[in-house]
Amino acid sequence: MSSIFLPVSFSNKLFGFFMRILSCVQSVISLFLGGERCVRCGRFALASPLCSECAEIFSRSAFNPDNRCEICGKPLVSEIGICSSCRKTRTLKSADRIFPLQTYRLWKKNLLFSWKMQEKRSLSPFFASLVENKICQAESIVGENSLQIVPVPPRPGKIRKNGWDQIDEICFYLKNGFGRKILPVLVRKSVIQQKKLGRIQRLESIGSSYEPAPGKKIRRILKHLPDGKLPDSVVLLDDVMTTGATLEDCSSVLKKMGVAHVYCVTLFTVA
């Protein structure tokens, strides 16, 4: 973890103190190992693939009030309010609104690759802090507060094979650092990686890839919720939205489980 993560303000002060200690230790280890190079500018970045200046640029652009579709969250070109794709063939019918942090393009692709494929996990608390801010921004827009998070579940066997899941790790920071409640009420049935499917195949998979978690797990989660039921509104969290098939599939399951509003937050959206 490099110095760009030290200013991250966790609401849990004890957790924040621990993270600062860990950041310093990892920075020292990284320095002895030669450090990292920033994926955007190429400068020395200590323990993260993003230097402090480029991290600030990434953070600012994640919350710019740019012109985005009110449904899918993708940038609008000449349209007003809703993009032409959502007007013509709306994929997102159960998901109420998408709030992406960034467009998946240029050097940002390399940043995601560093995190997911090269396992540069020093980016996880950085991404988590941006997700927390994006959720707060979404809450102000839709008139909600203290939204609870439903993570998009990994494919079966992923954690056992790779040792970690990116969304699960972000949820760890959101829970322990920001006090967000995490509701892992979904499971994934399909073992096929979405990135290996084409657009048509992804869209055809809607309704068959996700389902509610086993009844025993659901009952254990509901036992700790007010009135013993899922909240009326939740945030569905994923890393990348490509066609919207995953978000729509998960949102549809949540709606059938009694959730009235599903707001989706993603790190990136493919424009």
Side-chain angles (χ1 to χ4, degrees):
M1 234 176 277
S2 76
S3 59
I4 67 169
F5 303 118
L6 294 181
V8 171
S9 179
F10 293 106
S11 59
N12 184 323
K13 294 184 178 180
L14 181 61
F15 183 80
F17 176 73
F18 170 77
M19 289 304 302
R20 287 173 181 272
I21 298 267
L22 180 62
S23 173
C24 292
V25 172
Q26 291 187 332
S27 294
V28 171
I29 294 175
S30 176
L31 183 62
F32 277 105
L33 294 177
E36 292 278 352
R37 291 289 172 180
C38 178
V39 299
R40 180 176 182 270
C41 67
R43 289 180 296 185
F44 182 71
L46 197 56
S48 165
L50 201 61
C51 70
S52 57
E53 181 178 330
C54 292
E56 178 63 24
I57 292 173
F58 184 92
S59 301
R60 284 201 309 269
S61 61
F63 302 99
N64 285 341
D66 52 1
N67 197 20
R68 291 183 174 273
C69 176
E70 295 175 0
I71 297 174
C72 69
K74 293 184 178 182
L76 298 176
V77 180
S78 59
E79 309 98 331
I80 298 177
I82 300 176
C83 69
S84 56
S85 295
C86 288
R87 291 178 187 274
K88 184 178 179 181
T89 307
R90 181 170 173 175
T91 301
L92 300 165
K93 300 175 182 178
S94 298
D96 291 277
R97 188 161 178 176
I98 315 297
F99 295 93
L101 272 80
Q102 296 283 357
T103 301
Y104 185 63
R105 59 192 299 268
L106 303 177
W107 59 272
K108 297 167 188 175
K109 290 185 177 182
N110 298 330
L111 188 64
L112 185 66
F113 181 83
S114 296
W115 181 53
K116 293 186 66 173
M117 307 308 295
Q118 297 180 333
E119 298 190 18
K120 305 295 184 181
R121 296 171 69 169
S122 59
L123 285 166
S124 296
F126 174 62
F127 283 150
S129 67
L130 295 181
V131 167
E132 169 64 19
N133 289 337
K134 178 59 73 171
I135 293 175
C136 291
Q137 185 183 56
E139 288 175 335
S140 66
I141 292 174
V142 301
E144 299 277 0
N145 57 68
S146 302
L147 286 172
Q148 300 179 44
I149 299 170
V150 176
V152 169
R155 66 182 183 278
K158 178 182 178 181
I159 296 179
R160 183 172 64 253
K161 179 181 178 181
N162 299 336
W164 73 305
D165 173 63
Q166 295 77 31
I167 297 303
D168 181 66
E169 183 149 301
I170 285 185
C171 286
F172 168 81
Y173 290 105
L174 291 171
K175 176 182 178 180
N176 296 286
F178 297 102
R180 289 282 176 180
K181 290 185 179 181
I182 311 299
L183 306 176
V185 297
L186 301 177
V187 293
R188 181 172 170 176
K189 296 185 290 183
S190 173
V191 297
I192 301 174
Q193 296 185 43
Q194 285 288 90
K195 64 182 180 182
K196 294 184 178 181
L197 300 178
R199 176 180 174 80
I200 295 178
Q201 290 175 307
R202 293 188 187 205
L203 295 177
E204 289 177 343
S205 70
I206 295 177
S208 62
S209 297
Y210 298 87
E211 64 183 1
K216 186 176 181 180
K217 183 177 182 179
I218 293 289
R219 288 192 293 271
R220 187 167 63 248
I221 294 173
L222 295 181
K223 184 171 66 174
H224 300 286
L225 296 177
D227 302 323
K229 65 178 184 177
L230 292 175
D232 290 336
S233 301
V234 300
V235 166
L236 181 63
L237 178 62
D238 202 6
D239 53 0
V240 182
M241 184 184 82
T242 305
T243 61
T246 294
L247 298 179
E248 176 59 23
D249 201 343
C250 291
S251 297
S252 176
V253 175
L254 289 171
K255 290 287 181 77
K256 292 175 182 177
M257 295 173 69
V259 176
H261 303 288
V262 181
Y263 305 109
C264 307
V265 170
T266 66
L267 294 176
F268 298 92
T269 183
V270 177

